[in-house]
Structure formats: C-alpha cells, structure tokens
C-alpha cells in the first residue's frame, strides 16, 4: 500500500509539472534584435544611397559600425551566458521554421545538439549576424570602390575612387543578414509564446 501511495504522489507531481521545450524568453534579446535590424538596414540603405559621396565612405561610418558591433556583442554575451556553451537544440517544429528561413545558410553545426538548448541557437545565430556585419564592413572598407561625387579630383582631373557600398552589394548583404535576424526572432518568439502558455 505504501508503494501505491508513493507512486500516486509521484504521478500527481509529475502531472503538475510542465515540460519546457525552449528556454525562457529574454526581452532584452528580442528588443535588441529589433533595434539592431532597424539600425543595420538603415545604415546599409543610407550607404547605398550615398555611394561615391563623402558621407558614404567607410571612414565616415566607422563609428556606426562600432556601435552595431557593440550592440550585437551585448546580445551574444547575454545568450552565451544563458546557454552555458551547450550548443543549439530546437523542437522539430521550431527547427523546421528556422531551416525554412535560413535555407542554405544554416550554421554548419546545424540545429540539433542533444545537450543544447534554444539559447545556444540564439547565440549561434547572433554570432552569424556579427560575422555578416564584419563581412559588410570589410567589403565597404576594402572591396567596393566608387567614383567620388562632389570631392576633389585626382591629378589627372578624374573623380577619385573612394570606399563605398554599392546598392547591389548592400541589397545582397541585407538579404543574408535579415535571414539570420529573422531566424533568431523566430526562436525568441517561440520562447515568448511558450512562456505565455
């Protein structure tokens, strides 16, 4: 009889507990992603619009890149502390949503680590966003060059070549970056809706 009572108590408590499939929602990461997306998209559009002008050069925008890097580093650090380095693991449905958004740009290590959690996924997606920012910055600084507009001419009387971000480059970079941001948002939205149930 004692064993039966013990089994009933265990079943009662087990029935009252909730199984959590994703990590707790983090409003700081969610809001940080919104702010970052607005800032990076605004910067890329402005740079494309100002290609060849002084205000569109890399040198004139270093501080904006630094501010974006600081924002994304803060979000990475926050997700990293919460994931404790366990890696990325999502529910089957959530993994399918992230895969659909990311397409061929999924993280190389994937989204199925048995010991991981959704914070590990957020951390990896945020790290990808930072890598994309670094690529955009390098392209702007060293690769894309435009004829200067409204600046002094070179020794031959021709417009100088200056660092710029061409509209086509900007569009492609933002498409890839927005994929990663949207995937991270899907993970955060799942955390939020799971917490509201």
């Amino acid at each position: 009889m004692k064993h039966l009572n013990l089994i009933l108590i265990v079943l009662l408590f087990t029935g009252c507990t909730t199984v959590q499939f994703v990590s707790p929602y983090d409003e700081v990461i969610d809001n940080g992603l919104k702010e970052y997306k607005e800032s990076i998209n605004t910067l890329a559009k402005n740079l494309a619009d100002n290609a060849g002008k002084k205000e569109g050069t890399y040198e004139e925008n270093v501080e904006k890149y630094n501010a974006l890097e600081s924002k994304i580093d803060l979000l990475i650090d926050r997700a990293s502390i919460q994931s404790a380095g366990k890696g990325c693991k999502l529910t089957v449905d959530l993994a399918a949503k992230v895969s659909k958004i990311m397409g061929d740009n999924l993280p190389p290590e994937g989204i199925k680590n048995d010991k991981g959690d959704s914070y590990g996924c957020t951390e990896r997606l945020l790290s990808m966003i930072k890598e994309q920012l670094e690529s955009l910055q390098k392209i702007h600084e060293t690769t894309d060059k435009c004829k200067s507009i409204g600046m002094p001419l070179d020794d031959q009387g021709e417009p100088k070549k200056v660092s710029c971000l061409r509209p086509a480059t900007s569009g492609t970079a933002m498409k890839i970056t927005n994929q990663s941001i949207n995937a991270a948002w899907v993970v955060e939205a799942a955390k939020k809706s799971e917490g509201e149930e």
Side-chain angles (χ1 to χ4, degrees):
M1 188 69 170
K2 285 183 180 181
H3 294 297
L4 183 60
N5 287 340
L6 182 60
I7 291 170
L8 289 173
I9 290 171
V10 169
L11 288 173
L12 177 66
F13 282 116
T14 305
C16 293
T17 60
T18 59
V19 177
Q20 193 168 16
F21 292 105
V22 293
S23 305
Y25 169 69
D26 188 330
E27 187 175 7
V28 172
I29 291 176
D30 190 20
N31 289 334
L33 280 166
K34 291 174 193 172
E35 292 170 12
Y36 183 86
K37 185 172 184 176
E38 180 181 3
S39 298
I40 187 71
N41 280 279
T42 300
L43 175 63
K45 175 138 180 44
N46 289 341
L47 291 174
D49 289 347
N50 289 311
K53 300 176 186 172
K54 183 179 179 187
E55 55 267 45
T57 63
Y58 175 77
E59 295 76 18
E60 291 291 315
N61 290 279
V62 171
E63 290 179 8
K64 292 174 184 161
Y65 282 114
N66 290 341
L68 286 168
E69 186 177 356
S70 294
K71 275 185 188 181
I72 202 70
D73 280 341
L74 173 92
L75 299 178
I76 292 169
D77 288 346
R78 191 166 179 96
S80 177
I81 289 167
Q82 295 169 2
S83 78
K86 293 184 243 171
C88 174
K89 182 179 179 183
L90 298 173
T91 63
V92 173
D93 290 342
L94 191 52
K97 288 179 184 177
V98 169
S99 294
K100 184 177 179 183
I101 292 168
M102 295 296 292
D104 295 337
N105 295 319
L106 270 176
E109 65 277 3
I111 51 178
K112 295 177 184 176
N113 178 332
D114 289 337
K115 297 178 183 176
D117 58 21
S118 59
Y119 276 120
C121 298
T122 300
E123 178 185 6
R124 183 61 193 119
L125 290 165
L126 290 168
S127 295
M128 286 179 69
I129 294 165
K130 182 177 180 179
E131 292 164 11
Q132 292 156 357
L133 174 65
E134 290 168 349
S135 293
L136 181 70
Q137 190 171 358
K138 184 171 182 146
I139 290 167
H140 188 191
E141 180 181 16
T142 61
T143 307
D144 273 7
K145 299 291 180 197
C146 299
K147 290 184 179 181
S148 63
I149 301 169
M151 290 188 263
L153 303 176
D154 66 15
D155 295 338
Q156 287 78 34
E158 297 291 322
K160 293 180 182 178
K161 294 270 188 171
V162 295
S163 62
C164 67
L165 191 64
R166 297 175 185 277
T169 306
S170 173
T172 301
M174 286 304 90
K175 181 180 177 191
I176 294 168
T177 296
N178 284 325
Q179 276 182 326
S180 300
I181 293 170
N182 292 340
W185 247 344
V186 165
V187 173
E188 290 308 303
K191 292 177 191 177
K192 186 175 185 178
S193 62
E194 180 82 12
E196 290 172 352
E197 292 176 356

